[in-house]
Each structure stands twice: as structure tokens, then as C-alpha cells.
Amino acid sequence: LTSYCAVPNPAEFAHLSPKINHMRAMDDSDHSGSARCSEELSNGEKVAVSSVATSMRQVLHAIGENTEREGLRKTPERFANALLECTRGYDADPVALGKTALFDAESYTDMVLVADNEYFSLCEHHILPFFGTVDIAYEPNKYIIGLSKVSRIVDIVARKLQVQERLSEEIASVIQEITDAQGVAVRIRGTHMCMRMRGARATSATTTTFAYRGTFRGDATRRQQFLSQLSK
């Protein structure tokens, strides 16, 4: 068994979408929200930002806010840019990314576990955040994947409107497609703000989901090996 703990580095994603450099510029802007490099947005992205900002301004009016007061004057644009960043997964191909870092397995066929990959996503039902960690194991067939790519794949697939169940299945399918592994196992643990902030207000609730492919789906012993490693 080979076990790794991998944490994604946001700086690695700069090449995946032209939006991201703009988002960093927004972070560096003053509190009025003026962007320092809006020219980095494509025409389509500028249209998207404008459209979302206009809609958010209407939302703020609808809840009784004054969008001309200092604290809210640039909030619609900030929200629009933040939403584009949080959904940047729509602009990237995780399979293509993963295939840039495939290596000969050199006869290694035991389980590879890449644990505690952090993720952040948006619940598609309420557009509120959910976040946590993803544990991924696979049994190589002919290829192994570069470890940093695993965390980057998690980030890409998560940065969309999601539900945790589908997120688990999509990550498992992507890893399977990239590596052609004998088997893939995924566990996701999530904290959902739609449960904690509203509705049931279950402030201590967490959600765990699993997805299996190949040998892990058909062999209870392999699943138990995967789960036993996660408990250590």
C-alpha cells in the first residue's frame, strides 16, 4: 500500500482558465472593488460578469438593501467575479489534465491512496457552499497518475454547482477514465452550509458519500482495506 496526503495548491490552476488571474487581481483591489486587470477577462466573461452583477443588484434591492451605500456599491461585481471563480470547473477538462501526467506503473498493482484532498463546491439546490475532504484510492493497471494532478482534478470537478453524491461519482469516473485502473474508490466527507445556516440548522452534521469502480465495487475485501486505511 502506498499512502499520500495531498493538499491542492491554488497557484497550480492559473493556466486552466483566464478567469483566475482576474480573480486574484480582484483580491488585490481596494475595498471599492475596482479591478486592476479587468482587461484579462474575455469578452464573453465580461458579459457574464455584467449580467450576474445586474441580477445581484436586483436581488439586493429585493431584500430591502441600498446598493448605493458604500459597503454595497461594488458588491454585485464582487459577487459576480466570486461566482465565476467558484464555478471555474466548467471551463476545464479534468480528463485532459490528468492525461498530461500518466506514467508507467512498472508492475505496481497494489492500492495507491491519496487522502485528505480539500475541496470547495456550491450546492446546486441553494447556491450555498459545501466543503470537506476527498480520499481517492486506485489500483493501477498499466499507469499511475502524478499525485498533484489528483488534487487538481478534485478541485476542477468540485468547482461547479454540485451535489455531493454526484461529485463522488464524477471523481471516480474521471480517475477511472484517465488511468484505466483495475479499481477506483472514493470517499467524500462534506459540511453543507445549506444544512447549517438554514432549514434544519444542523450545526454539527456532516455527510459522507462513496463511489466505487472495478475491483473495489466487486470485492468487499478491497473495500474494507480502503476503509481501514482511512481510519488510521
Side-chain angles (χ1 to χ4, degrees), residues 150-163:
V150 175
S151 291
R152 293 169 69 180
I153 287 165
V154 167
D155 189 83
I156 289 171
V157 179
R159 295 277 179 167
K160 299 185 285 188
L161 301 185
Q162 281 283 16
V163 295

Side-chain angles (χ1 to χ4, degrees), residues 21-26 34-41 46:
N21 288 333
H22 174 68
M23 303 308 138
R24 294 194 178 115
M26 287 297 292
S34 58
R36 294 182 180 175
C37 58
S38 60
E39 66 275 7
E40 294 183 11
L41 286 177
K46 290 176 182 178

Side-chain angles (χ1 to χ4, degrees), residues 148-187:
S148 68
K149 294 298 186 290
V150 175
S151 291
R152 293 169 69 180
I153 287 165
V154 167
D155 189 83
I156 289 171
V157 179
R159 295 277 179 167
K160 299 185 285 188
L161 301 185
Q162 281 283 16
V163 295
Q164 186 172 322
E165 295 86 346
R166 185 171 67 240
L167 179 60
S168 306
E169 290 292 329
E170 287 187 3
I171 291 173
S173 294
V174 167
I175 296 297
Q176 177 68 49
E177 183 174 351
I178 292 169
T179 63
D180 191 28
Q182 300 177 76
V184 176
V186 172
R187 181 185 74 169

Side-chain angles (χ1 to χ4, degrees), residues 115-153:
D116 295 325
N117 300 276
E118 290 184 329
Y119 74 92
F120 298 90
S121 192
L122 291 174
C123 164
E124 67 180 31
H125 301 139
H126 302 96
I127 322 297
L128 287 173
F130 70 97
F131 53 89
T133 58
V134 181
D135 306 303
I136 301 171
Y138 71 99
E139 291 184 331
N141 185 6
K142 296 180 180 179
Y143 302 105
I144 56 174
I145 185 172
L147 297 176
S148 68
K149 294 298 186 290
V150 175
S151 291
R152 293 169 69 180
I153 287 165

